[in-house]
């Protein structure tokens, strides 16, 4: 039962910019909890691509960026490449002492 | 380097039990909180449970509370998930993951490759 809502899919041509939204509520993102983003390539485990709203782990290209405002957050991918095609999930913490994931977004490179 | 290796998955009948293990290496296991996250076939990620570095606190998702138990053995650098009263809807790949924080409030910076649990009669 995801409490963070994401669009099911987004798409873009190579080189374009796509954004993925993550909408929460006053008990999670709106309560000030940080948002993190994961990339899941087909058949593999999730991989952290953005932590604490806008930080990139070592090795993640600067084409990936994140932001947070109010009860929402977003992930942007610029200069879209074929190997960016994957599922992306946002994650935050909830005042009910649970971690929550977004519903997931499939990014398709046209 | 950080490694997390899950094991223990398989096919089990509804109502039965199963215990998953996650062997950790490459970091100081006893200083990090650890999570279980699952993913049903073709579905999204679902957070299952977290255990603090010192085992003082454990928290569960609503769908598994009262049926699953998370634990850890620092002498063996191993995380466990005891799953009782299994249901068909528990069928999923189960991932263990490390929290960047000792109290499990942050992000999951390393994940295992997952182990598949199938609940079917």
């Amino acid at each position: 039962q995801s409490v963070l809502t994401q669009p099911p899919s987004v798409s873009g041509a190579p080189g374009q910019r796509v954004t993925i939204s993550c909408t929460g509520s006053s008990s999670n993102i709106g309560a000030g909890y940080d948002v993190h983003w994961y990339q899941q390539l087909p058949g593999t485990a999730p991989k952290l691509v953005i932590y604490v709203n806008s930080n990139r782990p070592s090795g993640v290209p600067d084409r990936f960026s994140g932001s947070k405002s109010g009860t929402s957050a977003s992930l942007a991918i610029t200069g879209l490449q074929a190997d960016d095609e994957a599922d992306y999930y946002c994650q935050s913490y909830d005042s009910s002492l649970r971690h929550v994931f977004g519903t997931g977004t499939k990014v398709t490179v046209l | 380097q950080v490694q997390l290796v899950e094991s223990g998955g398989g096919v089990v009948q509804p109502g039965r039990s199963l215990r998953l293990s996650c062997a950790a290496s490459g970091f100081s296991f006893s200083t990090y909180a650890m999570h279980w996250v699952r993913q049903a076939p073709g579905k999204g990620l679902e957070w299952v449970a977290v255990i603090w570095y010192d085992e003082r606190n454990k928290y569960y998702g609503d769908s598994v509370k009262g049926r699953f138990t998370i634990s850890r053995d620092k002498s063996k650098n191993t995380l466990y998930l005891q799953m009782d009263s299994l249901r068909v809807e528990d069928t999923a790949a189960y991932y263990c993951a490390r929290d960047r924080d000792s109290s499990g409030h942050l992000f999951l910076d390393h994940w295992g490759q997952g182990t598949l649990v199938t609940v079917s009669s």
Side-chain angles (χ1 to χ4, degrees):
Chain A
Q1 59 279 20
S2 299
V3 296
L4 304 180
T5 302
Q6 300 178 230
S9 64
V10 298
S11 62
Q16 285 191 329
R17 179 179 187 268
V18 297
T19 61
I20 302 169
S21 61
C22 173
T23 303
S25 69
S26 58
S27 66
N28 40 69
I29 300 175
Y33 294 112
D34 295 317
V35 178
H36 322 291
W37 292 89
Y38 303 88
Q39 175 195 63
Q40 187 176 32
L41 297 169
T44 69
K47 169 193 166 187
L48 181 71
V49 292
I50 293 289
Y51 66 93
V52 186
N53 306 318
S54 59
N55 297 276
R56 284 187 313 278
S58 173
V60 174
D62 60 5
R63 301 184 296 102
F64 289 82
S65 63
S67 64
K68 173 194 159 186
S69 178
T71 59
S72 297
S74 64
L75 173 72
I77 310 173
T78 58
L80 198 62
Q81 298 181 0
D83 57 6
D84 296 332
E85 192 159 284
D87 294 323
Y88 292 82
Y89 296 90
C90 59
Q91 177 243 320
S92 187
Y93 191 68
D94 191 271
S95 54
S96 62
L97 303 180
R98 300 175 303 160
H99 287 258
V100 288
F101 282 98
T103 49
T105 299
K106 181 176 182 59
V107 170
T108 300
V109 181
L110 301 173
Chain B
Q1 72 282 18
V2 174
Q3 271 203 309
L4 299 170
V5 180
E6 302 93 337
S7 61
V11 180
V12 61
Q13 293 180 327
R16 305 296 291 265
S17 298
L18 201 63
R19 188 178 81 158
L20 305 182
S21 300
C22 171
S25 61
F27 66 102
S28 181
F29 178 70
S30 60
T31 62
Y32 290 89
M34 297 294 296
H35 299 258
W36 287 99
V37 176
R38 70 183 182 182
Q39 186 171 36
K43 303 298 183 181
L45 301 175
E46 180 186 7
W47 178 76
V48 173
V50 64
I51 183 169
W52 284 23
Y53 76 105
D54 60 359
E55 303 183 66
R56 188 185 308 180
N57 285 297
K58 307 172 186 180
Y59 300 100
Y60 299 89
D62 289 344
S63 59
V64 306
K65 197 170 185 179
R67 299 187 300 122
F68 289 12
T69 303
I70 189 171
S71 62
R72 62 194 299 163
D73 185 335
K74 63 182 180 182
S75 69
K76 296 182 179 179
N77 284 352
T78 300
L79 175 73
Y80 300 102
L81 185 67
Q82 176 67 40
M83 303 185 295
D84 297 324
S85 302
L86 281 162
R87 305 168 179 168
V88 171
E89 55 265 34
D90 294 320
T91 294
Y94 285 75
Y95 297 98
C96 70
R98 188 184 83 167
D99 195 294
R100 193 61 182 87
D101 181 63
S102 60
S103 299
H105 295 148
L106 285 181
F107 50 91
L108 285 59
D109 62 352
H110 290 277
W111 297 63
Q113 84 290 349
T115 187
L116 183 61
V117 173
T118 302
V119 184
S120 173
S121 53

Short mmCIF file of all heavy atoms in Angstrom, two decimals, chain A residues 3-61:
data_model
loop_
_atom_site.label_atom_id
_atom_site.label_comp_id
_atom_site.label_asym_id
_atom_site.label_seq_id
_atom_site.Cartn_x
_atom_site.Cartn_y
_atom_site.Cartn_z
N VAL A 3 2.06 5.00 -0.23
CA VAL A 3 1.45 6.26 0.13
C VAL A 3 2.09 7.41 -0.61
O VAL A 3 1.71 8.56 -0.43
CB VAL A 3 1.51 6.49 1.65
CG1 VAL A 3 0.69 5.45 2.37
CG2 VAL A 3 2.94 6.47 2.14
N LEU A 4 3.08 7.11 -1.45
CA LEU A 4 3.71 8.11 -2.29
C LEU A 4 3.31 7.82 -3.72
O LEU A 4 3.51 6.72 -4.22
CB LEU A 4 5.24 8.06 -2.14
CG LEU A 4 5.79 8.23 -0.72
CD1 LEU A 4 7.32 8.17 -0.73
CD2 LEU A 4 5.31 9.52 -0.09
N THR A 5 2.75 8.81 -4.39
CA THR A 5 2.19 8.61 -5.73
C THR A 5 3.13 9.12 -6.81
O THR A 5 3.60 10.27 -6.74
CB THR A 5 0.83 9.33 -5.85
OG1 THR A 5 -0.05 8.83 -4.85
CG2 THR A 5 0.23 9.09 -7.22
N GLN A 6 3.39 8.27 -7.77
CA GLN A 6 4.22 8.62 -8.93
C GLN A 6 3.44 8.34 -10.21
O GLN A 6 2.55 7.49 -10.22
CB GLN A 6 5.50 7.76 -8.96
CG GLN A 6 6.41 7.88 -7.76
CD GLN A 6 7.60 6.95 -7.89
OE1 GLN A 6 7.91 6.21 -6.96
NE2 GLN A 6 8.29 6.98 -9.02
N PRO A 7 3.79 9.01 -11.32
CA PRO A 7 3.15 8.67 -12.60
C PRO A 7 3.62 7.28 -13.02
O PRO A 7 4.78 6.92 -12.81
CB PRO A 7 3.68 9.75 -13.55
CG PRO A 7 4.96 10.21 -12.94
CD PRO A 7 4.77 10.10 -11.45
N PRO A 8 2.73 6.49 -13.62
CA PRO A 8 3.12 5.12 -14.02
C PRO A 8 4.26 5.09 -15.03
O PRO A 8 5.08 4.18 -15.00
CB PRO A 8 1.84 4.56 -14.62
CG PRO A 8 0.75 5.38 -14.05
CD PRO A 8 1.32 6.75 -13.87
N SER A 9 4.29 6.07 -15.92
CA SER A 9 5.31 6.06 -16.95
C SER A 9 5.63 7.46 -17.45
O SER A 9 4.78 8.35 -17.40
CB SER A 9 4.87 5.19 -18.12
OG SER A 9 3.72 5.74 -18.74
N VAL A 10 6.86 7.62 -17.89
CA VAL A 10 7.29 8.83 -18.60
C VAL A 10 8.20 8.36 -19.71
O VAL A 10 8.81 7.30 -19.63
CB VAL A 10 8.03 9.84 -17.69
CG1 VAL A 10 7.12 10.34 -16.58
CG2 VAL A 10 9.31 9.26 -17.15
N SER A 11 8.29 9.15 -20.75
CA SER A 11 9.15 8.78 -21.87
C SER A 11 9.78 10.01 -22.50
O SER A 11 9.29 11.13 -22.35
CB SER A 11 8.35 8.00 -22.92
OG SER A 11 7.32 8.81 -23.45
N GLY A 12 10.88 9.78 -23.20
CA GLY A 12 11.56 10.86 -23.87
C GLY A 12 12.55 10.32 -24.88
O GLY A 12 12.98 9.16 -24.78
N ALA A 13 12.89 11.15 -25.83
CA ALA A 13 13.87 10.77 -26.84
C ALA A 13 15.27 10.90 -26.25
O ALA A 13 15.48 11.63 -25.27
CB ALA A 13 13.72 11.65 -28.07
N PRO A 14 16.23 10.20 -26.81
CA PRO A 14 17.61 10.36 -26.35
C PRO A 14 18.03 11.82 -26.36
O PRO A 14 17.73 12.56 -27.32
CB PRO A 14 18.41 9.54 -27.37
CG PRO A 14 17.45 8.51 -27.84
CD PRO A 14 16.12 9.20 -27.89
N GLY A 15 18.67 12.24 -25.26
CA GLY A 15 19.13 13.62 -25.14
C GLY A 15 18.14 14.55 -24.49
O GLY A 15 18.51 15.65 -24.07
N GLN A 16 16.88 14.11 -24.39
CA GLN A 16 15.87 14.98 -23.80
C GLN A 16 15.91 14.90 -22.28
O GLN A 16 16.64 14.12 -21.68
CB GLN A 16 14.47 14.59 -24.31
CG GLN A 16 14.19 15.02 -25.73
CD GLN A 16 12.72 14.86 -26.10
OE1 GLN A 16 12.04 13.97 -25.61
NE2 GLN A 16 12.25 15.74 -26.98
N ARG A 17 15.07 15.73 -21.65
CA ARG A 17 14.94 15.78 -20.20
C ARG A 17 13.58 15.25 -19.79
O ARG A 17 12.56 15.58 -20.40
CB ARG A 17 15.08 17.22 -19.71
CG ARG A 17 14.95 17.43 -18.21
CD ARG A 17 15.13 18.91 -17.88
NE ARG A 17 15.18 19.18 -16.44
CZ ARG A 17 14.12 19.48 -15.70
NH1 ARG A 17 12.93 19.58 -16.26
NH2 ARG A 17 14.25 19.72 -14.40
N VAL A 18 13.58 14.38 -18.79
CA VAL A 18 12.32 13.88 -18.24
C VAL A 18 12.31 14.14 -16.73
O VAL A 18 13.37 14.20 -16.10
CB VAL A 18 12.10 12.38 -18.52
CG1 VAL A 18 11.99 12.11 -20.01
CG2 VAL A 18 13.20 11.54 -17.88
N THR A 19 11.12 14.31 -16.19
CA THR A 19 10.98 14.48 -14.75
C THR A 19 9.93 13.51 -14.22
O THR A 19 8.95 13.19 -14.89
CB THR A 19 10.58 15.91 -14.37
OG1 THR A 19 9.31 16.21 -14.96
CG2 THR A 19 11.61 16.91 -14.84
N ILE A 20 10.17 13.05 -13.00
CA ILE A 20 9.26 12.13 -12.32
C ILE A 20 8.84 12.78 -11.01
O ILE A 20 9.71 13.18 -10.22
CB ILE A 20 9.95 10.79 -12.03
CG1 ILE A 20 10.46 10.15 -13.33
CG2 ILE A 20 9.00 9.85 -11.31
CD1 ILE A 20 11.37 8.96 -13.09
N SER A 21 7.55 12.87 -10.80
CA SER A 21 7.05 13.47 -9.57
C SER A 21 6.77 12.40 -8.53
O SER A 21 6.53 11.23 -8.85
CB SER A 21 5.78 14.27 -9.85
OG SER A 21 4.77 13.42 -10.37
N CYS A 22 6.78 12.82 -7.28
CA CYS A 22 6.51 11.93 -6.15
C CYS A 22 5.69 12.75 -5.16
O CYS A 22 6.22 13.68 -4.54
CB CYS A 22 7.82 11.47 -5.55
SG CYS A 22 7.68 10.52 -4.00
N THR A 23 4.42 12.40 -5.02
CA THR A 23 3.52 13.19 -4.18
C THR A 23 3.17 12.44 -2.90
O THR A 23 2.68 11.32 -2.96
CB THR A 23 2.24 13.54 -4.95
OG1 THR A 23 2.59 14.23 -6.14
CG2 THR A 23 1.33 14.41 -4.09
N GLY A 24 3.43 13.08 -1.78
CA GLY A 24 3.14 12.48 -0.48
C GLY A 24 2.08 13.25 0.27
O GLY A 24 1.12 13.74 -0.33
N SER A 25 2.27 13.33 1.58
CA SER A 25 1.29 13.99 2.43
C SER A 25 1.97 14.65 3.63
O SER A 25 3.19 14.63 3.75
CB SER A 25 0.26 12.96 2.92
OG SER A 25 0.88 12.06 3.82
N SER A 26 1.14 15.20 4.49
CA SER A 26 1.66 15.90 5.67
C SER A 26 2.27 14.96 6.70
O SER A 26 2.89 15.42 7.66
CB SER A 26 0.55 16.72 6.32
OG SER A 26 -0.52 15.87 6.69
N SER A 27 2.11 13.65 6.52
CA SER A 27 2.68 12.70 7.48
C SER A 27 4.01 12.14 7.00
O SER A 27 4.68 11.42 7.75
CB SER A 27 1.71 11.54 7.74
OG SER A 27 1.54 10.76 6.58
N ASN A 28 4.41 12.45 5.80
CA ASN A 28 5.70 11.95 5.31
C ASN A 28 6.53 13.10 4.73
O ASN A 28 7.21 13.82 5.46
CB ASN A 28 5.55 10.78 4.36
CG ASN A 28 4.40 10.93 3.39
OD1 ASN A 28 4.43 11.78 2.51
ND2 ASN A 28 3.36 10.10 3.56
N ILE A 29 6.46 13.32 3.44
CA ILE A 29 7.28 14.38 2.82
C ILE A 29 6.95 15.74 3.42
O ILE A 29 7.84 16.55 3.73
CB ILE A 29 7.09 14.39 1.29
CG1 ILE A 29 7.51 13.05 0.69
CG2 ILE A 29 7.92 15.53 0.68
CD1 ILE A 29 7.24 12.94 -0.81
N GLY A 30 5.67 16.01 3.59
CA GLY A 30 5.24 17.30 4.14
C GLY A 30 5.62 17.51 5.58
O GLY A 30 5.62 18.65 6.07
N ALA A 31 5.95 16.44 6.28
CA ALA A 31 6.37 16.54 7.68
C ALA A 31 7.86 16.85 7.79
O ALA A 31 8.40 16.96 8.89
CB ALA A 31 6.07 15.23 8.40
N GLY A 32 8.52 16.96 6.64
CA GLY A 32 9.92 17.33 6.63
C GLY A 32 10.88 16.17 6.41
O GLY A 32 12.10 16.37 6.41
N TYR A 33 10.33 14.97 6.22
CA TYR A 33 11.22 13.82 5.99
C TYR A 33 11.82 13.88 4.59
O TYR A 33 11.18 14.32 3.64
CB TYR A 33 10.45 12.52 6.19
CG TYR A 33 10.01 12.31 7.62
CD1 TYR A 33 8.67 12.35 7.97
CD2 TYR A 33 10.94 12.08 8.63
CE1 TYR A 33 8.25 12.17 9.30
CE2 TYR A 33 10.55 11.89 9.95
CZ TYR A 33 9.21 11.95 10.28
OH TYR A 33 8.81 11.78 11.58
N ASP A 34 13.05 13.42 4.50
CA ASP A 34 13.77 13.49 3.24
C ASP A 34 13.24 12.48 2.24
O ASP A 34 12.60 11.47 2.59
CB ASP A 34 15.26 13.24 3.47
CG ASP A 34 15.90 14.33 4.31
OD1 ASP A 34 15.59 15.51 4.07
OD2 ASP A 34 16.69 14.00 5.21
N VAL A 35 13.53 12.73 0.97
CA VAL A 35 13.12 11.85 -0.12
C VAL A 35 14.37 11.29 -0.81
O VAL A 35 15.36 12.00 -1.00
CB VAL A 35 12.24 12.59 -1.15
CG1 VAL A 35 11.86 11.65 -2.30
CG2 VAL A 35 11.00 13.14 -0.47
N HIS A 36 14.30 10.02 -1.14
CA HIS A 36 15.41 9.34 -1.80
C HIS A 36 14.86 8.64 -3.04
O HIS A 36 13.68 8.30 -3.10
CB HIS A 36 16.05 8.33 -0.84
CG HIS A 36 16.12 8.83 0.56
ND1 HIS A 36 16.95 9.87 0.96
CD2 HIS A 36 15.42 8.47 1.67
CE1 HIS A 36 16.76 10.12 2.24
NE2 HIS A 36 15.85 9.28 2.70
N TRP A 37 15.73 8.41 -4.02
CA TRP A 37 15.30 7.82 -5.28
C TRP A 37 16.16 6.61 -5.64
O TRP A 37 17.39 6.62 -5.44
CB TRP A 37 15.41 8.85 -6.41
CG TRP A 37 14.44 9.98 -6.28
CD1 TRP A 37 14.62 11.16 -5.62
CD2 TRP A 37 13.13 10.06 -6.86
NE1 TRP A 37 13.49 11.95 -5.72
CE2 TRP A 37 12.57 11.30 -6.50
CE3 TRP A 37 12.37 9.20 -7.67
CZ2 TRP A 37 11.30 11.70 -6.90
CZ3 TRP A 37 11.11 9.59 -8.08
CH2 TRP A 37 10.58 10.84 -7.69
N TYR A 38 15.50 5.60 -6.20
CA TYR A 38 16.17 4.36 -6.59
C TYR A 38 15.86 4.05 -8.05
O TYR A 38 14.75 4.28 -8.53
CB TYR A 38 15.71 3.20 -5.71
CG TYR A 38 15.94 3.45 -4.24
CD1 TYR A 38 14.98 4.10 -3.48
CD2 TYR A 38 17.13 3.08 -3.62
CE1 TYR A 38 15.18 4.37 -2.14
CE2 TYR A 38 17.35 3.34 -2.28
CZ TYR A 38 16.38 3.99 -1.55
OH TYR A 38 16.60 4.26 -0.22
N GLN A 39 16.85 3.51 -8.72
CA GLN A 39 16.71 3.03 -10.10
C GLN A 39 16.74 1.52 -10.08
O GLN A 39 17.61 0.92 -9.43
CB GLN A 39 17.87 3.56 -10.95
CG GLN A 39 17.92 3.03 -12.37
CD GLN A 39 19.27 3.30 -13.02
OE1 GLN A 39 20.29 2.80 -12.59
NE2 GLN A 39 19.26 4.12 -14.07
N GLN A 40 15.79 0.90 -10.78
CA GLN A 40 15.79 -0.56 -10.86
C GLN A 40 15.79 -0.97 -12.32
O GLN A 40 14.77 -0.86 -13.02
CB GLN A 40 14.59 -1.16 -10.13
CG GLN A 40 14.66 -2.69 -10.05
CD GLN A 40 13.53 -3.30 -9.24
OE1 GLN A 40 12.42 -2.78 -9.21
NE2 GLN A 40 13.79 -4.42 -8.58
N LEU A 41 16.92 -1.44 -12.79
CA LEU A 41 17.03 -1.97 -14.14
C LEU A 41 16.34 -3.31 -14.20
O LEU A 41 16.23 -4.00 -13.18
CB LEU A 41 18.50 -2.09 -14.53
CG LEU A 41 19.28 -0.76 -14.57
CD1 LEU A 41 20.77 -1.02 -14.71
CD2 LEU A 41 18.78 0.12 -15.70
N PRO A 42 15.86 -3.72 -15.36
CA PRO A 42 15.14 -4.99 -15.47
C PRO A 42 15.92 -6.17 -14.90
O PRO A 42 17.09 -6.37 -15.23
CB PRO A 42 14.93 -5.13 -16.98
CG PRO A 42 14.93 -3.72 -17.50
CD PRO A 42 15.91 -2.99 -16.65
N GLY A 43 15.27 -6.91 -14.00
CA GLY A 43 15.87 -8.12 -13.45
C GLY A 43 16.95 -7.91 -12.42
O GLY A 43 17.65 -8.86 -12.05
N THR A 44 17.09 -6.67 -11.94
CA THR A 44 18.15 -6.41 -10.96
C THR A 44 17.58 -5.78 -9.69
O THR A 44 16.42 -5.38 -9.64
CB THR A 44 19.22 -5.47 -11.54
OG1 THR A 44 18.66 -4.16 -11.70
CG2 THR A 44 19.73 -5.97 -12.88
N ALA A 45 18.43 -5.67 -8.67
CA ALA A 45 18.02 -5.04 -7.42
C ALA A 45 18.01 -3.52 -7.59
O ALA A 45 18.71 -2.98 -8.46
CB ALA A 45 18.99 -5.43 -6.31
N PRO A 46 17.23 -2.82 -6.78
CA PRO A 46 17.24 -1.36 -6.83
C PRO A 46 18.62 -0.80 -6.48
O PRO A 46 19.39 -1.41 -5.74
CB PRO A 46 16.21 -0.96 -5.76
CG PRO A 46 15.32 -2.15 -5.65
CD PRO A 46 16.22 -3.33 -5.84
N LYS A 47 18.88 0.38 -7.03
CA LYS A 47 20.15 1.07 -6.79
C LYS A 47 19.85 2.53 -6.44
O LYS A 47 19.03 3.17 -7.09
CB LYS A 47 21.02 1.01 -8.05
CG LYS A 47 22.24 1.90 -8.04
CD LYS A 47 22.85 2.00 -9.43
CE LYS A 47 23.86 3.12 -9.54
NZ LYS A 47 24.33 3.32 -10.93
N LEU A 48 20.48 3.01 -5.40
CA LEU A 48 20.29 4.40 -4.96
C LEU A 48 20.86 5.36 -5.99
O LEU A 48 22.03 5.23 -6.38
CB LEU A 48 20.96 4.59 -3.62
CG LEU A 48 20.85 5.96 -2.96
CD1 LEU A 48 19.43 6.21 -2.46
CD2 LEU A 48 21.85 6.07 -1.80
N VAL A 49 20.06 6.35 -6.43
CA VAL A 49 20.58 7.35 -7.37
C VAL A 49 20.53 8.78 -6.80
O VAL A 49 21.29 9.64 -7.26
CB VAL A 49 19.86 7.30 -8.74
CG1 VAL A 49 20.19 6.02 -9.49
CG2 VAL A 49 18.35 7.47 -8.59
N ILE A 50 19.62 9.03 -5.85
CA ILE A 50 19.55 10.34 -5.18
C ILE A 50 19.24 10.08 -3.71
O ILE A 50 18.33 9.30 -3.41
CB ILE A 50 18.46 11.26 -5.78
CG1 ILE A 50 18.81 11.68 -7.20
CG2 ILE A 50 18.24 12.50 -4.89
CD1 ILE A 50 19.97 12.67 -7.32
N TYR A 51 19.98 10.72 -2.80
CA TYR A 51 19.66 10.60 -1.39
C TYR A 51 19.50 11.99 -0.77
O TYR A 51 20.08 12.96 -1.27
CB TYR A 51 20.70 9.77 -0.65
CG TYR A 51 22.09 10.38 -0.58
CD1 TYR A 51 22.48 11.16 0.51
CD2 TYR A 51 23.01 10.16 -1.60
CE1 TYR A 51 23.74 11.72 0.58
CE2 TYR A 51 24.29 10.72 -1.54
CZ TYR A 51 24.65 11.49 -0.45
OH TYR A 51 25.90 12.04 -0.38
N VAL A 52 18.72 12.03 0.27
CA VAL A 52 18.43 13.28 0.98
C VAL A 52 18.07 14.39 -0.01
O VAL A 52 18.75 15.42 -0.11
CB VAL A 52 19.58 13.70 1.91
CG1 VAL A 52 19.18 14.91 2.75
CG2 VAL A 52 19.96 12.56 2.84
N ASN A 53 17.05 14.10 -0.79
CA ASN A 53 16.40 15.05 -1.70
C ASN A 53 17.17 15.39 -2.97
O ASN A 53 16.60 15.42 -4.06
CB ASN A 53 16.09 16.36 -0.96
CG ASN A 53 15.30 16.13 0.30
OD1 ASN A 53 14.37 15.32 0.31
ND2 ASN A 53 15.68 16.79 1.38
N SER A 54 18.48 15.66 -2.84
CA SER A 54 19.17 16.19 -4.02
C SER A 54 20.63 15.78 -4.14
O SER A 54 21.36 16.35 -4.94
CB SER A 54 19.09 17.72 -3.99
OG SER A 54 19.69 18.23 -2.81
N ASN A 55 21.05 14.80 -3.36
CA ASN A 55 22.46 14.39 -3.37
C ASN A 55 22.67 13.13 -4.20
O ASN A 55 21.87 12.20 -4.13
CB ASN A 55 22.93 14.16 -1.93
CG ASN A 55 22.87 15.43 -1.10
OD1 ASN A 55 23.78 16.25 -1.13
ND2 ASN A 55 21.79 15.60 -0.37
N ARG A 56 23.75 13.12 -4.95
CA ARG A 56 24.08 11.95 -5.77
C ARG A 56 25.17 11.12 -5.14
O ARG A 56 26.22 11.65 -4.77
CB ARG A 56 24.56 12.38 -7.17
CG ARG A 56 23.51 12.84 -8.13
CD ARG A 56 24.12 13.08 -9.51
NE ARG A 56 25.35 13.85 -9.43
CZ ARG A 56 25.40 15.17 -9.34
NH1 ARG A 56 24.27 15.86 -9.32
NH2 ARG A 56 26.56 15.81 -9.26
N PRO A 57 24.95 9.80 -5.04
CA PRO A 57 26.04 8.93 -4.57
C PRO A 57 27.18 8.95 -5.58
O PRO A 57 27.00 9.27 -6.76
CB PRO A 57 25.39 7.55 -4.52
CG PRO A 57 23.92 7.79 -4.52
CD PRO A 57 23.73 9.05 -5.29
N SER A 58 28.34 8.57 -5.11
CA SER A 58 29.49 8.47 -5.99
C SER A 58 29.19 7.51 -7.15
O SER A 58 28.64 6.43 -6.93
CB SER A 58 30.70 7.95 -5.19
OG SER A 58 31.78 7.68 -6.01
N GLY A 59 29.51 7.94 -8.35
CA GLY A 59 29.32 7.09 -9.52
C GLY A 59 28.03 7.36 -10.28
O GLY A 59 27.87 6.88 -11.41
N VAL A 60 27.11 8.09 -9.68
CA VAL A 60 25.87 8.44 -10.39
C VAL A 60 26.12 9.71 -11.20
O VAL A 60 26.56 10.72 -10.66
CB VAL A 60 24.71 8.65 -9.39
CG1 VAL A 60 23.46 9.16 -10.11
CG2 VAL A 60 24.41 7.34 -8.67
N PRO A 61 25.80 9.67 -12.49
CA PRO A 61 26.08 10.84 -13.35
C PRO A 61 25.32 12.08 -12.89
O PRO A 61 24.21 11.98 -12.33
CB PRO A 61 25.58 10.38 -14.73
CG PRO A 61 25.45 8.91 -14.66
CD PRO A 61 25.22 8.55 -13.24
#
